Amino acid sequence: MNLHLLLDTNGRIRLVSKFKENFLGHQHADFTGSFIQDYLSAEDAQPLLYFLKTASAEDTIIRSALSFKTHNATTAKVEITLTCLSDNPTVNGIAASIRNIVTELPGKQRSAHAINASFYINHPLGILQLNKTGEITRVNTQLLTDSGYTLSDIQHKPLLNFILPQYRYKALRKFVQACNQGKASTFDVEVFKAGDGILDVNLTMVAVLFQNQIFEIHVSIKNITERLALQQTLKKLSIVADKTTNGVVILNPNFRVEWVNDGFLQMTGYKYAEVLESKISQLLKLETLDSEVLEDARQKMAKGVSVEQEMLCYRKDGTTFWNLIKATPIFDDLGKLERYIIIHVDITEKKKAEMELRLLADDLYRQNKELHQFAYIVSHNLRSPVANIVGLTNLLELFKDDADVHGQTLKKLIKSVNNLDAVIKDLSYILTVNNASKDLFKEPIHLQDLLHQVLIDLQPIIVHTDADIMLPPKPLVVHTNRAYMYSILYNLISNAIKYRSYQKPHVKIDYYFTEEHTIIYVADNGKGIDLDKHADDLFKPYKRFDAKVEGKGLGLFLVKSHVEAMGGSLNLKSKLNQGSTFYIKLPLG
């Protein structure tokens, strides 16, 4: 009577054939989970353990006259046959057959056949038994379920009848090897189902020995239709992923790279070996990304939600590109996270187009606003001198014979013409500033040197008011237009002195940096501005907020225009009677 076991590579007994009694006296529960070497002497166990560790698929070893411990602490002489079934993903172990070579008697072959059959009766795979002529003698319920046949359709029929013709030679060769050499094998074939269907299956053939003779063949049959369909799908997806210009990355649950396609390598400049096992955040240098954004994305994906984010990423050579990242979490049937699939789309050109469109819209908005301002200037500032000129011209005609009136009128006419000329010059200068931003020449400017030049030109008013001017303690070089920067600083410092309070004028100029900008600020202790009242008119032309101080009301308008022409922005913080601080924000570089 043979005892059949299924072992792992360490010799642990994973499965035991069902039996009512056995020559070793052990109970079924005694065997399961124990190690086969525990029942053998060290000398007898050594070659078997070596086989367990080194055997390849279909290898077989037979060891005879081994002393095997029985339940009552005696030993029995046995023959052990080990067959490696590592190619079968369902079994993935070593089949062991133990035969009593002393007490086993001829004539028990039929009993052994029944015991072997009981091993497979409730097996989750389809199992059939073949005699040495290749006819099917037994099948289990699972095989009938998978194939759709009845027992009468299959029993006592040759196995080859159910295998498609192109696979019959392979199956016959494996059957002959099992019968003649006791060689186990596993291979894929297509078989006929009941009706007109065809089933993709994996067959594993194992020879069963009785008294050192092969008397039947056991065949396990696994339906691999879904596996092959999945392989075909994965193959197609692999072709698509490999040929697409977008980057495709598969990450493990720790966000380390398992696989990337050529599109990702071309996008980032890395080689395949360089990215494997690396963290995607390190490859694309996303460490500086807002941690809250990353944590929010992780929490969403942990709940099975895909996320999409536009990010500025870095290539291997340090150049940047805009990347639309679409991340999808993949879970197994038990809901455990297996991996992430990340799609990378280079949207640099799209972002450039968006930026150009935004700049165009901003430029159109600015020009429209300037057009309204220009219309206002024309309608208000030109109207008065033109009306005066028209009126004075009429007076000259009326009083052409009165020398005194004629002379006075002519003086007033000349003054009105000069006023008109001044307004036209102002308008011309304003238009020049507004249209200069595209072709504006920029150069490295040493801020301290420029400030010293401004202070020299403002020396008379500084001396007259005893103004205290504080310059930046550290040098600064900005890449900008010298004339515009000079005009900005000149206007802001002179305004700080002109609009001084009762205190001695104190003006501080300094700077600081943000990630993308240089901020230069000019702070004073002057009268300040009521922003609640004048905020809307603050930077409009010809707007004045203190009638006691001489001026046209163009200074802040020109400062703001100059700053914007250089690609920057101007902001103000001020409170009435508490001074003002102007912030000039210029782009780095």
Side-chain angles (χ1 to χ4, degrees):
M1 179 185 299
N2 286 6
L3 181 64
H4 298 287
L5 312 175
L6 183 63
L7 313 177
D8 64 18
T9 55
N10 294 317
R12 184 186 295 274
I13 300 171
R14 291 164 46 192
L15 198 63
V16 184
S17 60
K18 293 183 179 180
F19 53 78
K20 293 181 180 179
E21 59 181 18
N22 64 83
F23 63 91
L24 298 172
H26 294 291
Q27 298 298 315
H28 189 281
D30 295 335
F31 270 125
T32 305
S34 62
F35 291 86
I36 193 169
Q37 57 266 35
D38 293 342
Y39 301 96
L40 301 168
S41 67
E43 183 180 356
D44 288 344
Q46 184 177 359
L48 299 182
L49 291 176
Y50 180 81
F51 178 85
L52 292 175
K53 294 294 186 183
T54 61
S56 301
E58 303 182 0
D59 285 352
T60 298
I61 184 174
I62 301 175
R63 303 291 294 181
S64 297
L66 304 180
S67 297
F68 201 99
K69 294 178 183 178
T70 65
H71 182 65
N72 58 10
T74 61
T75 60
K77 290 295 182 179
V78 300
E79 178 186 87
I80 298 179
T81 301
L82 299 183
T83 303
C84 180
L85 302 178
S86 60
D87 272 3
N88 188 325
T90 302
V91 177
N92 191 23
I94 310 295
S97 178
I98 303 175
R99 182 171 68 89
N100 188 342
I101 61 175
V102 175
T103 60
E104 194 166 42
L105 300 175
K108 291 190 176 181
Q109 183 171 337
R110 185 176 302 172
S111 176
H113 177 86
I115 293 173
N116 291 337
S118 70
F119 182 76
Y120 298 106
I121 191 66
N122 294 316
H123 200 283
L125 296 181
I127 303 292
L128 57 82
Q129 295 176 350
L130 303 177
N131 60 24
K132 296 189 70 174
T133 66
E135 289 185 352
I136 300 170
T137 58
R138 286 176 183 264
V139 298
N140 69 348
T141 304
Q142 188 62 45
L143 178 66
L144 299 178
T145 301
D146 290 342
S147 66
Y149 290 110
T150 64
L151 182 61
S152 61
D153 294 330
I154 294 179
Q155 200 167 24
H156 306 304
K157 305 285 195 314
L159 174 62
L160 293 181
N161 287 4
F162 300 93
I163 297 176
L164 268 63
Q166 60 266 36
Y167 297 100
R168 287 176 183 170
Y169 175 75
K170 178 198 290 187
L172 180 59
R173 184 162 54 87
K174 300 293 185 182
F175 176 75
V176 171
Q177 289 175 348
C179 289
N180 295 340
Q181 305 169 24
K183 187 176 182 180
S185 60
T186 180
F187 53 97
D188 296 342
V189 297
E190 290 180 288
V191 298
F192 295 109
K193 290 179 65 176
D196 298 327
I198 293 176
L199 201 62
D200 291 291
V201 297
N202 172 264
L203 301 185
T204 298
M205 286 188 177
V206 180
V208 179
L209 300 178
F210 182 81
Q211 295 182 347
N212 210 26
Q213 297 292 322
I214 297 170
F215 76 97
E216 66 183 12
I217 306 296
H218 286 183
V219 182
S220 66
I221 303 177
K222 181 180 180 181
N223 185 348
I224 59 170
T225 303
E226 291 184 3
R227 188 189 81 185
L228 293 180
L230 179 60
Q231 288 176 348
Q232 288 298 318
T233 301
L234 291 176
K235 183 177 180 181
K236 293 175 183 178
L237 290 176
S238 176
I239 293 172
V240 172
D242 204 42
K243 299 302 179 182
T244 181
T245 56
N246 293 334
V248 181
V249 180
I250 298 177
L251 306 179
N252 66 20
N254 296 320
F255 294 95
R256 292 190 179 275
V257 175
E258 290 185 348
W259 179 87
V260 300
N261 72 336
D262 286 341
F264 180 82
L265 300 177
Q266 293 175 11
M267 186 182 297
T268 59
Y270 287 101
K271 294 181 179 179
Y272 192 82
E274 294 174 324
V275 302
L276 288 183
E277 298 300 323
S278 299
K279 281 202 169 186
I280 194 70
S281 59
Q282 295 172 346
L283 292 173
L284 301 179
K285 298 179 177 62
L286 301 178
E287 295 89 344
T288 58
L289 191 68
D290 189 343
S291 58
E292 291 184 3
V293 173
L294 288 176
E295 184 58 30
D296 180 64
R298 288 192 180 102
Q299 289 181 4
K300 287 182 178 178
M301 288 191 290
K303 297 176 182 178
V305 178
S306 298
V307 297
E308 184 173 309
Q309 184 75 38
E310 293 181 356
M311 298 181 183
L312 185 63
C313 300
Y314 290 80
R315 299 184 180 90
K316 180 183 177 181
D317 61 7
T319 58
T320 60
F321 67 102
W322 277 100
N323 189 359
L324 176 60
I325 297 178
K326 303 176 182 179
T328 302
I330 305 298
F331 298 86
D332 62 18
D333 294 338
L334 299 177
K336 182 181 178 182
L337 178 66
E338 285 190 328
R339 56 184 55 87
Y340 301 94
I341 296 178
I342 316 292
I343 307 298
H344 299 260
V345 183
D346 188 337
I347 57 170
T348 304
E349 293 302 319
K350 174 176 172 285
K351 295 293 286 188
K352 285 182 180 178
E354 289 177 355
M355 181 66 70
E356 291 174 359
L357 185 61
R358 185 161 54 249
L359 291 174
L360 179 60
D362 292 343
D363 191 48
L364 288 174
Y365 175 78
R366 180 182 61 80
Q367 290 187 24
N368 187 55
K369 186 178 179 182
E370 291 169 357
L371 184 61
H372 281 289
Q373 291 178 344
F374 191 80
Y376 175 84
I377 295 170
V378 170
S379 63
H380 290 77
N381 296 70
L382 287 181
R383 184 176 182 181
S384 178
V386 169
N388 286 339
I389 291 172
V390 172
L392 291 171
T393 303
N394 291 332
L395 286 176
L396 285 175
E397 182 65 27
L398 290 173
F399 296 96
K400 61 184 177 180
D401 297 329
D402 189 330
D404 291 337
V405 176
H406 190 276
Q408 293 176 6
T409 303
L410 186 58
K411 289 180 181 179
K412 292 179 180 179
L413 178 60
I414 292 172
K415 184 178 180 180
S416 294
V417 170
N418 288 335
N419 288 341
L420 178 61
D421 182 61
V423 172
I424 291 174
K425 286 181 179 178
D426 288 342
L427 290 174
S428 177
Y429 183 65
I430 290 171
L431 290 174
T432 301
V433 172
N434 289 341
N435 293 326
S437 59
K438 292 182 179 179
D439 302 317
L440 193 64
F441 174 73
K442 296 181 180 181
E443 59 182 315
I445 305 297
H446 291 268
L447 182 64
Q448 278 80 354
D449 293 345
L450 193 63
L451 282 169
H452 283 300
Q453 182 181 342
V454 170
L455 296 184
I456 290 173
D457 294 340
L458 288 173
Q459 191 68 20
I461 191 173
I462 292 174
V463 173
H464 176 72
T465 59
D466 193 24
D468 183 16
I469 312 294
M470 291 182 60
L471 301 183
K474 295 182 180 180
L476 172 68
V477 177
V478 289
H479 191 78
T480 187
N481 181 269
R482 177 179 292 275
Y484 278 14
M485 199 69 212
Y486 173 89
S487 174
I488 291 166
L489 295 172
Y490 183 95
N491 274 286
L492 292 180
I493 296 173
S494 63
N495 278 356
I497 298 174
K498 284 195 298 182
Y499 294 94
R500 60 190 178 276
S501 65
Y502 62 88
Q503 305 177 68
K504 173 184 174 179
H506 179 84
V507 184
K508 179 182 179 182
I509 304 102
D510 207 346
Y511 65 90
Y512 59 90
F513 298 103
T514 65
E515 289 185 0
E516 299 180 353
H517 296 90
T518 301
I519 312 293
I520 302 171
Y521 63 89
V522 179
D524 65 58
N525 64 342
K527 294 180 179 181
I529 301 174
D530 187 351
L531 294 181
D532 292 335
K533 183 177 180 181
H534 300 298
D536 292 339
D537 295 327
L538 192 60
F539 299 110
K540 291 181 179 178
Y542 297 105
K543 293 294 182 180
R544 301 178 62 219
F545 311 109
D546 190 341
K548 297 178 182 179
V549 180
E550 183 181 357
K552 293 182 179 181
L554 284 176
L556 291 182
F557 171 76
L558 291 175
V559 168
K560 187 172 187 294
S561 298
H562 285 144
V563 172
E564 290 179 348
M566 296 188 298
S569 62
L570 182 68
N571 294 293
L572 169 64
K573 288 183 179 180
S574 182
K575 287 186 178 181
L576 198 60
N577 300 319
Q578 294 185 28
S580 302
T581 302
F582 287 88
Y583 296 90
I584 305 159
K585 182 189 287 187
L586 299 175
L588 289 174

